[in-house]
Every structure is written in C-alpha cells, then in structure tokens.
Amino acid sequence: MSKKATIGFSEEQAQLLEVATTFCRDKSPIEKVRSLLENERGYDDAIWTEMAELGWLAIAVPEEFGGIGLGVAEVVPVVEQMGRTMMAGPFVSTTLAAQAMLVGGTDEQKQKYLPDLCAGTKATLALSEPHGDWDLTHVECTAERLGDTLKLSGRKTFVENADTADLLLVSVSLEGAPALVVVERSVLPEGTLRREVVIDETRRSYQVTFDGVEVPASALLDPSKTTAALVHVDLCASLLLSAEMCGAAASCIDYTVDYLQTRKQFGKKIGSYQALKHPIVDAHVGYEQARSHLYCAAFNFTQQGEGEVATRIAKAQAGEALSYAADRAIQFHGGFGFTYDCDAQLYRRRSLWCENQFGDSAYQRAKLAELLL
Amino acid sequence: MSTISEKELSDYRSDAAAWFAENTNADPGFMLPLTFMEVGTDQQFNFLREWQHKVYEAGYLGAAWPKEYGGGGLDQKFQTIATEEMAKANGPIMLNAIGLNWAGPLILDMGTDEERKRYIKGILSAEDIWCQGFSEPENGSDLGNAQTKAVRDGDDWVLNGSKIWTTQGNYAKYMILLARTNPDAPNKYAGLSFFLSPMQVDGIETVPIRKLTGEYGFTQTFFTEARIPGDSLMGKEGEGWLVAMRTLEYERGVKGGQPGGYVMRASDPFEIVELARKATRGGKPALEDPVIKDQLIQLMIEARSLQLNSKRGHIQPLVQDKPASLALSSKLMATEFMRRLNEFAITLQGQRGAYYVGEPDAYDEGLWQRAYLNSFSATIGGGTSQIQRNIIGEHVLGLPKS
Ligand SMILES: Cc1cc2nc3c(=O)[nH]c(=O)nc-3n(C[C@H](O)[C@H](O)[C@H](O)COP(=O)(O)OP(=O)(O)OC[C@H]3O[C@@H](n4cnc5c(N)ncnc54)[C@H](O)[C@@H]3O)c2cc1C
Ligand SMILES: Cc1cc2nc3c(=O)[nH]c(=O)nc-3n(C[C@H](O)[C@H](O)[C@H](O)COP(=O)(O)OP(=O)(O)OC[C@H]3O[C@@H](n4cnc5c(N)ncnc54)[C@H](O)[C@@H]3O)c2cc1C
C-alpha cells in the first residue's frame, strides 16, 4: 500500500451518478421493492430493458465488443444507487459475467457473447459450491473431455438469477486445474435448478446441478487466462458489492434518522437521546469512510497491486458500515423494528447477503495482511 | 486572477524541499512536543519559537496571507506545497497554534483593518504568542454559560473571574477571551462579548497545571480587577457568541484560511508495523499473531480513511448529499483514531507496555505511552468527542437537540 491513498472522480462517473440517482429513485421506490419480494422473477423486466437501453450494461466493455469502453469505475456509481434504493435484478451478475468473459474468454467467445451482454442478454456466475469456501480456485465440480464435448458434473450454489439468465459462467476442475465454461441455460435439462431460500429476499438465488450436462469444447474459456479471470471477477464482485453496500448504508441511515426525528417517547423526539444520537452518528461516520474507500477502489481498480488493496479495504469497510447501520436501525425502531413491515430488516438481510458473498470483512483483512504486512 | 504555471509550482516545491532539508532539526536532543498543547518547558518553547520564526522568515508560513499584514501574498497553492514539504522533512510543529489557526484567520476574517495591522505579523513570526480563554472551571462544554465578567469603566474594561485549561497561557501575550458583559441579557448567549485581550497586565495571573503525563502544558488564568484597554473588544458588545462560534469553525477545521504548517504530529500506522515486528508474543514476532494482524490492518485502513475523506471532500458530486459532513466529522475521526492507535501500540509491547518515558528499556523511549496519554488532549480539547457527536448529529443528520 502506498502511503498516500489516492482518489479521483471522472466526468462520466459524475454523469452516471446523477442519472442513476434519479432513475433508481423513480423506478425502485421501497413499495416496488416490497411488491417484488413475492414475485418469482424478483425484478421488473421492463426496467431491465430500460437499463439496457441506457447502455449501463455496456459501460465497462470495450467498443470493439459493442461496449462503451469505460471501466468498472464507471459502473460503481450506478450500482451504488441501485443499492441505495435496494433495486434487485441481474445487473451485477450480468456485468460480472461480461467481465469474466472479457478477461478469460477467447476472441471468438468475446465476439459472440459480449455484444449481446451489452445489449441486455442476462448472464450470471456459477462459481460457488456447497463447501462455501470464498476461494474461487477451490473447485470441486468437474469437466471431462469427451472428444469435442465437455461433460460437466457437480453442484453450484448461489447462482443468482439462474432462472432468467441466458448464460452461466461456470467454474469447473478440468484435468486437475480450475477452468471456466460458458453454458447456455437452454441446454440445462428440466429440474436442474432449485431455488434457494436466502436471507436477502430481494434476491433470487439457485442451486444448479450440472451432472451430465454436455457442452461443446468451444464453450471452454481460454485456459491460459482462467486465473486472471477468476482474480478479476473476485475483485470486480467485491467492488460492486461494496458499492451496493455503501448505497444501502446511506439509505438505511436516512431511514433511521427519519424515525429518530419523528418518534416521540417521554415527551421528546427519540433522536434527542444520545443513546441513539451518538451511535447513529458513528454509523454515519462509518458510512462516510466506506464511501471514500469505495471511490478510492474504483479510481485505483486497474492499478496492479494498489487496486486489489483498495478493493479489499472497500469491501471490508462497506461490510462493517452497513452491518452496523442496519443492526442499529432495527434496534432504534423499537418494537416496530422487530416487524416485517419495518424496512430495517430489509437492509439487515441485504447486508448479511452482501457481506457473505466473495468474502466478509475479516476475510478481506486477512487477505490484506498477506498483501501488506 | 493570473494563472500559475506548473513550472512555477514545481520550482517552488524544489526550493521549499531544499530549504526544509537544509534547515529542519527534528531532533534537538530533547523531547519535542507532538502537539501544540504539550509545550511544557522553556527549552521546548524557545526552540519552537525560533523554528516558527525561521519558517516564517523563509516565506513558508503565511505564504498565502495578505502581504499588507505581513503574509506572503501568494496563491494558496504555494502554501499547500510548503506545508507538504515541511511534513516530508518531518519538521517540528508550529508553536503559535492558537494565533495561527484560530485568532489569525478570525482577525483577517472579522477584524478591523487596524486589528489586522496590529496582530497578524506577530502571530506569523511567533513574536506574539496567543492563547484562548474560553473554558472555565464550571463551564467547559457549555461554553455559552461562561461567567468571567468584563465591566466597562471609563475607556477600559475590568475583568474578574477565571479561565482554565489555557494552552500556553503562561507564554501568551494575547488571549482571545469570551467574557460576560451583560448578566441581565435576555438569554445567556446575548450577554457575551469577545476580546483580544493583552495578558501582561496587572491582575492577570496564570498558574501552570500539571498534565496526566506528568509534564506541564496548560494553565489556569485568574483575572482580578484586571484592566484592559477599550479597544480590546472585538466586534460589537454583546455579539461575542457570534465571534466565538466563528472561532470554533476555525478550531474544528470547518473553515479554511489557516496560514499553513501543522500543530499536531500524527503517529503513523506504518511505525506500528515496525513495532509489531520488534515485539514478541510466544517467542515469535507479534506480527505473526493473526489477531494482531487483523487489528493492525484495521488501523491501517482507518488511517487511510482519514486521508481519503479529506480528498473526497473536494469532489463536489461525492459530497453534495451532506456538504458539511466530512469537515465536521474529521476532528472526531482523527482524534479518536489517534487515541486507539497509540493504545494499540502499547498493548503490542506485552509486559514492556508498562514502561514509561525515562526507562531505558522502554520501546522507542516510551514514545507510545506518552503519545497515548497525550492523545486525550485532542479528544477533549476543542470540544469533546461527545460534543462533536452532538454537533454531527444535529448539524449533519438534522437530529433534534440533546
Ligand atoms: C418480540 C416482542 C414482544 C413483545 N411483547 C409484548 C407484550 O407481550 N406485551 C406488551 O405490552 N409489549 C410487548 N412488547 C413491546 C415492548 O415492550 C416495546 O417494544 C418496548 O418497550 C419498546 O417500546 P417501543 O416499541 O414503543 O419503542 P420506542 O419506545 O419507540 O423506542 C424506539 C427506540 O428508542 C429508544 N428509546 C426510547 N426511549 C428512550 C430513552 N428515554 N432513552 C434512550 N433510548 C430511548 C428505544 O431503546 C428504541 O431503540 C414486545 C416487543 C417485542 C419486540
Ligand atoms: C489539552 C487541553 C487543552 C485545552 N486548551 C484549551 C484552551 O487553550 N483554551 C480553552 O478555552 N480551553 C481549552 N481546553 C478546554 C476544553 O475545551 C474543555 O476541556 C472541553 O471543552 C471540555 O470541557 P470540560 O473540561 O469542562 O468538561 P465537561 O464539559 O465538564 O465534560 C465532562 C464530560 O462530560 C461530557 N459532556 C459534557 N457535556 C455533554 C453533553 N452535552 N453531551 C454529552 N456529553 C457531554 C464530556 O464529553 C466529558 O466527557 C483544553 C483542554 C485540553 C484537554
């Protein structure tokens, strides 16, 4: 870690921040989020189409593949605002799949898939397994070469939006080494998806059993780039999850502050009691730090070394910030905080999901210790 | 405004770097204070006064203050560069902190031309040391309740009462003083007035107070029928609270306009890594202990937070939600962080954490122990962390008053 941490903000980031703020606020108010909790798909496809038309899926893909040619840094403000209004959908999973393809795919694969992904084809990652290890190279699913085909077997977990994604990027162990395979959902036999019951009810998560699924050998991503692709996806995911958590922390604090400004007990607004005021200030201060780290990570993302450090810090801090804010949000709403109707639970559930994807705060700090000490 | 070329700036930077490399003496052979609140001996005082004078004479302090009052008249960019180079050279702190950082900017901002002419140059050159008479034995956090009295008598004001925790009170030539001029005002704030009061007059006595470190650093100030001239009043009679509030904006770093330099030295988490390498646990370097590693990384992250917050503070789209937030939070964050960092450095030392300054076997000459004890100066002085949380809660989050 360099002694002086840097931060910067591009014109494009500023524009996207502004547009995304209004878009997410208008399209995903809390009533909408709640109305989708019971919905099988979990998101509004019309909004998805609008986002695709706005070009958001193309932000971090080079122009030669139908993208806009900016970086993941420019995706950050968009995801931050989605997190702020708790908008759900396959935006992050599709963006991550495109990034995996970009770094790990062959030229033909990039030509074939990336323009579609930029235009709104949905995709997802199938990297996690029942062992629950955050190390993406710990892969027990296998692929076996049979002439011109690859025969897969094993089970993947936490595959987001698997029911509506057209493409799945699957990690497998091939000849003893991790490899990535692109699987079109249309080839999956009936009954391979099982919806998981997950703590964040805004999300749709699936187990996918790949036993016996066969794909052409051309579905294999460039084996010489597997490691790079996994590293890239790991960090991209951490960065975007940090963005989502920062956004959520901001609105969780706003939501709680609103309550503290209106609810009266003992003849006074409860926000005047320091037992609530001081911890909510600490939550706010924690959020401010997390946001600084988020934009530092976005700014440094492509820097060798510094990018990883900044991103892991961002994930660790965003996780801590949101979990504290959301935990106190429940408590500070008193009996109402204990109800399903109080939005505090939505934030807390989301925070538990986000923290536990791609490594929680302690895991990030352990990785940082390897890098820095 | 004329534009400044990159060349001008880089030339200035190399000149400043060369000057500080040549002139900085960070180790005069006795312990230098880490903050301006710790100047406890004449030896320290004289050394630091000379140092500030020298930096000023070289043009690296007050570079951006108006020339007509003794400043350098340059663009703020030059001062920023000078301050950066000063920090790189690990230079000693600036002594006259209250003059430089609160009284000076306040006088430039709200003072009359005459007041500026009279006071600014002496502040920069360290000829005139300033102190702050806000807190009283009974009224610290509740500053608006100050009871020290100023009564008009002919052309003069007559002071009676006592101020406490007066940093550098024993060295000061002037005090920024909040006193009650009207005990019958409709509310407590309306009865206050603000003075730029001389200290070396009959009836003003300062008594040193010993700090928890065992050293001396501040005083209690007693006023007994002390007579100060009529023109010591700053602003209008009865509007002292307004001026005091503006002063606090400078003190809390919410308002810019300071002349550069720095008045507190921060411990560096990288130094703690070194310490963790030297200290042992179970026969191995403490740095190999996973719990220690985790805590250390957490502290390094927080140190970065402070740097990044201040940089993000300048990126308008990223602060528009709550514009005052980062500035108002930074005192709380920075001071509480330093306290915990120093505390952690002591726990790292295992049993030897119990040594103190003066013990030859103490790690780093007991620096961390002394720094930890001293770190409360900043979590209490200038408004306690609790008061700071009230301010953030009320002014940033809009919560009702406590
Ligand atoms: C699972 C559960 C079961 C319950 N069962 C029953 C039951 O069977 N019968 C029944 O009568 N009640 C029951 N309660 C109600 C419970 O006693 C109240 O929820 C509790 O007393 C808090 O009151 P409140 O919900 O109105 O929150 P509020 O009083 O509005 O409090 C909101 C927040 O402000 C804080 N706060 C309030 N006043 C102050 C203060 N002066 N200083 C500092 N902080 C303050 C609180 O700690 C809380 O964080 C139950 C509650 C729960 C969660
Ligand atoms: C090293 C040092 C240098 C100083 N230098 C100067 C100086 O040069 N000039 C000057 O005028 N003053 C100076 N001070 C004084 C400083 O500003 C006061 O100490 C500070 O404002 C606290 O006031 P107090 O000591 O009276 O504590 P109190 O106000 O009595 O506070 C005692 C405790 O109660 C808490 N508390 C008080 N009110 C509230 C509240 N409303 N809500 C929550 N908690 C509360 C405080 O946080 C603290 O923990 C200095 C202090 C120190 C430590």
Side-chain angles (χ1 to χ4, degrees):
Chain A
M1 173 163 71
S2 64
K3 280 203 170 192
K4 280 268 170 267
T6 52
I7 188 167
F9 197 62
S10 68
E11 193 52 43
E12 290 84 2
Q13 279 177 311
Q15 282 165 8
L16 282 159
L17 177 65
E18 201 182 316
V19 176
T21 303
T22 335
F23 183 89
C24 297
R25 196 173 52 212
D26 294 350
K27 307 286 172 180
S28 181
I30 198 71
E31 308 79 58
K32 174 90 178 189
V33 172
R34 283 191 173 271
S35 76
L36 290 166
L37 293 179
E38 301 281 313
N39 179 290
E40 186 59 29
R41 176 191 285 271
Y43 61 91
D44 183 338
D45 213 32
I47 295 176
W48 173 260
T49 309
E50 277 187 68
M51 289 197 297
E53 281 165 6
L54 283 167
W56 288 358
L57 292 152
I59 294 171
V61 176
E63 288 170 71
E64 54 177 319
F65 304 119
I68 295 175
L70 298 170
V72 183
E74 278 72 30
V75 183
V76 164
V78 173
V79 175
E80 185 191 32
Q81 294 312 305
M82 290 179 177
R84 192 157 192 157
T85 68
M86 285 205 281
M87 181 188 270
F91 182 81
V92 169
S93 64
T94 302
T95 301
L96 293 176
Q99 288 297 315
M101 180 66 76
L102 192 60
V103 172
T106 64
D107 281 345
E108 300 84 80
Q109 288 164 340
K110 289 190 221 176
Q111 296 290 357
K112 179 169 175 198
Y113 293 116
L114 285 175
D116 289 346
L117 291 178
C118 290
T121 293
K122 294 155 198 153
T124 189
L125 301 172
L127 304 179
S128 308
E129 299 193 354
H131 55 64
D133 191 343
W134 286 310
D135 179 354
L136 298 183
T137 62
H138 180 174
V139 185
E140 289 172 4
C141 282
T142 56
E144 206 187 334
R145 275 187 209 276
L146 294 173
D148 268 356
T149 61
L150 291 172
K151 188 170 171 198
L152 311 186
S153 79
R155 197 152 45 105
K156 289 291 178 178
T157 55
F158 297 111
V159 186
E160 279 195 74
N161 304 300
D163 60 330
T164 54
D166 296 302
L167 299 175
L168 292 84
L169 260 147
V170 190
S171 61
V172 289
S173 171
L174 174 67
E175 288 143 13
L180 286 165
V181 179
V182 56
V183 177
E184 298 183 13
R185 183 172 47 88
S186 54
V187 310
L188 295 180
E190 193 81 3
T192 46
L193 300 187
R194 176 175 79 71
R195 185 167 153 192
E196 295 168 325
V197 181
V198 293
I199 194 154
D200 181 353
E201 294 181 324
T202 66
R203 285 185 141 84
R204 296 296 170 265
S205 176
Y206 291 82
Q207 274 197 16
V208 184
T209 308
F210 286 97
D211 291 338
V213 169
E214 288 190 18
V215 292
S218 62
L220 183 67
L221 273 67
D222 185 341
S224 69
K225 295 176 180 155
T226 307
T227 310
L230 288 176
V231 168
H232 183 64
V233 165
D234 189 22
L235 294 180
C236 272
S238 295
L239 181 67
L240 297 184
L241 283 161
S242 309
E244 198 174 317
M245 289 190 282
C246 276
S251 59
C252 178
I253 293 165
D254 287 347
Y255 175 73
T256 308
V257 164
D258 278 348
Y259 195 70
L260 300 185
Q261 282 166 331
T262 42
R263 174 75 174 169
K264 276 190 171 176
Q265 289 291 281
F266 305 97
K268 284 201 218 166
K269 305 242 176 81
I270 57 173
S272 65
Y273 297 121
Q274 292 177 350
L276 295 98
K277 182 181 283 177
H278 289 191
I280 202 73
V281 164
D282 288 340
H284 171 72
V285 165
Y287 153 71
E288 289 284 29
Q289 300 194 7
R291 195 168 195 224
S292 295
H293 287 295
L294 170 65
Y295 281 96
C296 167
F299 183 70
N300 287 290
F301 193 68
T302 53
Q303 303 298 312
Q304 187 76 26
E306 183 63 23
E308 176 171 0
V309 168
T311 302
R312 295 199 182 283
I313 293 178
K315 177 85 173 24
Q317 288 302 91
E320 301 281 355
L322 176 57
S323 82
Y324 182 68
D327 177 284
R328 293 297 82 192
I330 296 175
Q331 178 67 20
F332 292 174
H333 280 81
F336 176 51
F338 196 68
T339 66
Y340 196 80
D341 280 345
C342 178
D343 295 340
Q345 58 98 356
L346 297 175
Y347 294 107
R348 189 62 183 114
R349 285 162 173 262
R350 176 159 278 205
S351 92
L352 287 164
W353 168 279
C354 291
E355 281 167 74
N356 288 298
Q357 293 290 308
F358 294 88
D360 66 6
S361 301
Y363 178 82
Q364 303 299 342
R365 287 196 297 271
K367 288 275 174 197
L368 286 161
E370 288 170 21
L371 294 167
L372 298 175
L373 298 180
Chain B
M1 213 166 74
S2 67
T3 50
I4 303 155
S5 70
E6 284 305 316
K7 169 100 173 63
E8 273 175 273
L9 292 172
S10 65
D11 285 353
Y12 186 84
R13 187 181 290 282
S14 22
D15 288 351
W19 190 88
F20 282 105
E22 164 105 25
N23 291 285
T24 304
N25 175 7
D27 184 12
F30 53 87
M31 213 174 235
L32 279 178
L34 297 170
T35 80
F36 72 96
M37 291 178 276
E38 289 164 43
V39 183
T41 64
D42 290 352
Q43 195 179 36
Q44 291 175 327
F45 177 81
N46 292 331
F47 176 87
L48 288 175
R49 182 180 203 159
E50 201 178 306
W51 167 242
Q52 183 186 321
H53 185 73
K54 203 163 152 184
V55 175
Y56 167 66
E57 287 288 308
Y60 298 123
L61 184 68
W65 275 11
K67 222 177 183 134
E68 50 190 313
Y69 307 123
L74 298 175
D75 189 276
Q76 181 62 37
K77 286 190 180 128
F78 292 97
Q79 182 60 57
T80 306
I81 289 174
T83 304
E84 279 167 13
E85 292 307 317
M86 190 180 316
K88 271 190 218 155
N90 223 1
I93 56 168
M94 289 297 129
L95 172 74
N96 198 11
I98 290 169
L100 292 170
N101 295 301
W102 348 160
L106 177 79
I107 292 166
L108 283 176
D109 171 2
M110 299 181 86
T112 61
D113 201 47
E114 203 190 318
E115 284 165 339
R116 294 178 192 151
K117 288 207 174 98
R118 190 181 327 165
Y119 299 120
I120 295 297
K121 182 148 191 259
I123 287 174
L124 287 170
S125 65
E127 197 169 319
D128 303 340
I129 302 302
W130 284 66
C131 70
Q132 179 182 32
F134 281 14
S135 307
E136 298 182 356
E138 298 300 323
N139 303 292
S141 297
D142 189 6
L143 190 59
N145 212 29
Q147 297 297 328
T148 293
K149 282 189 182 48
V151 176
R152 215 190 258 282
D153 182 28
D155 279 349
D156 298 337
W157 293 92
V158 178
L159 306 175
N160 275 290
S162 176
K163 295 285 174 179
I164 197 166
W165 324 126
T166 323
T167 300
Q168 293 179 26
N170 46 333
Y171 295 115
K173 181 164 171 193
Y174 296 106
M175 171 186 264
I176 43 175
L177 170 71
L178 189 62
R180 192 156 298 278
T181 42
N182 179 5
D184 305 319
N187 64 65
K188 65 181 181 184
Y189 304 108
L192 295 167
S193 298
F194 197 93
F195 297 88
L196 306 175
S197 166
M199 287 290 278
Q200 280 126 32
V201 297
D202 287 346
I204 300 184
E205 190 200 358
T206 59
V207 178
I209 303 173
R210 199 171 180 198
K211 299 184 301 177
L212 74 176
T213 59
E215 302 158 297
Y216 291 85
F218 45 21
T219 65
Q220 181 162 4
T221 310
F222 296 94
F223 304 88
T224 321
E225 296 292 318
R227 208 164 255 282
I228 60 171
D231 63 1
S232 312
L233 177 73
M234 182 180 182
K236 292 205 183 82
E237 186 179 336
E239 289 185 358
W241 184 245
L242 197 103
V243 187
M245 285 296 102
R246 182 64 64 89
T247 314
L248 291 184
E249 286 180 31
Y250 288 111
E251 179 164 358
R252 291 168 181 154
V254 180
K255 239 177 130 55
Q258 291 80 359
Y262 49 90
V263 295
M264 301 222 210
R265 290 266 301 275
S267 307
D268 181 341
F270 285 90
E271 292 170 24
I272 312 256
V273 177
E274 266 319 295
L275 186 61
R277 223 169 248 133
K278 284 192 274 172
T280 53
R281 284 284 156 92
K284 290 192 236 148
L287 193 56
E288 289 175 24
D289 179 323
V291 175
I292 300 240
K293 276 193 204 175
D294 187 66
Q295 291 171 326
L296 196 51
I297 290 291
Q298 184 60 45
L299 289 165
M300 290 167 81
I301 291 176
E302 286 179 53
R304 255 170 85 109
S305 304
L306 301 173
Q307 289 177 5
L308 288 172
N309 277 346
S310 84
K311 291 184 183 163
R312 180 162 70 85
H314 299 293
I315 303 176
Q316 208 275 333
L318 289 180
V319 292
Q320 64 195 7
D321 288 5
K322 296 185 169 69
S325 170
L326 288 175
L328 280 178
S329 309
S330 64
K331 188 225 181 218
L332 174 68
M333 282 187 282
T335 60
E336 288 290 331
F337 167 70
M338 287 313 301
R339 183 178 61 71
R340 283 184 292 110
L341 183 77
N342 290 320
E343 181 190 20
F344 179 69
I346 299 174
T347 65
L348 266 183
Q349 299 168 11
Q351 200 172 11
R352 285 169 69 192
Y355 284 144
Y356 196 62
V357 180
E359 164 55 45
D361 274 345
Y363 270 108
D364 298 335
E365 300 168 338
L367 170 89
W368 299 104
Q369 284 77 357
R370 174 171 169 262
Y372 168 67
L373 292 180
N374 262 318
S375 59
F376 289 93
S377 65
T379 61
I380 297 171
T384 67
S385 295
Q386 288 66 41
I387 295 297
Q388 212 58 29
R389 284 192 179 85
N390 287 346
I391 293 170
I392 299 165
E394 288 154 27
H395 297 279
V396 176
L397 300 178
L399 293 169
K401 280 203 156 308
S402 297

